[in-house]
Amino acid sequence: MQKNLEEKIDSIVESIKELNRQAFLVYKPIVDEICSGRAVEEKELENVLDGLVSVCISDEMLNLFKRVCRKFYNHYPEIITDYVMFYKEMYEEQGDDL
């Protein structure tokens, strides 16, 4: 019974890793494109950040998120600050919860 549970957990972990790989393959060209220097509207930036922050579970995805934040902070500081806070709320452990 223990082995069956471990196999199920391993399968779930592999599925999550594969979804992360797929998310990276989808978002990498999007991030490359919006960071290329062309003008980006607020709504487009928010859409990309929404997607990134929702799947920011690996270093690769976090690096894409950081890249966008760094690129657009000077132009859209309020939006970037909001999304950094969303990230922190979603992914960083809260010391007060212990």
Side-chain angles (χ1 to χ4, degrees):
M1 184 138 142
Q2 179 68 20
K3 182 144 176 98
N4 190 26
L5 180 59
E6 289 175 10
E7 288 173 357
K8 287 181 181 179
I9 292 171
D10 288 344
S11 177
I12 291 168
V13 169
E14 284 307 311
S15 294
I16 291 169
K17 287 180 180 179
E18 179 58 28
L19 288 172
N20 186 67
R21 283 189 287 273
Q22 290 176 12
F24 180 77
L25 292 174
V26 168
Y27 278 99
K28 172 89 169 70
I30 293 169
V31 169
D32 288 345
E33 200 262 328
I34 70 164
C35 290
S36 68
R38 70 168 177 82
V40 174
E41 298 293 324
E42 283 184 30
K43 189 65 176 165
E44 181 182 14
L45 178 60
E46 289 172 338
N47 287 338
V48 171
L49 287 169
D50 279 339
L52 287 171
V53 80
S54 70
V55 292
C56 218
I57 60 171
S58 72
D59 289 342
E60 287 179 324
M61 293 304 294
L62 179 57
N63 287 335
L64 291 178
F65 177 75
K66 287 179 177 180
R67 182 175 167 203
V68 172
C69 290
R70 288 178 183 130
K71 173 73 178 176
F72 293 100
Y73 180 76
N74 288 333
H75 197 67
Y76 297 112
E78 289 180 19
I79 292 172
I80 298 304
T81 301
D82 287 346
Y83 277 92
V84 169
M85 295 308 296
F86 295 154
Y87 171 84
K88 287 181 177 187
E89 289 172 9
M90 290 176 70
Y91 299 105
E92 291 186 357
E93 292 184 33
Q94 300 295 323
D96 298 335
D97 293 341
L98 298 176

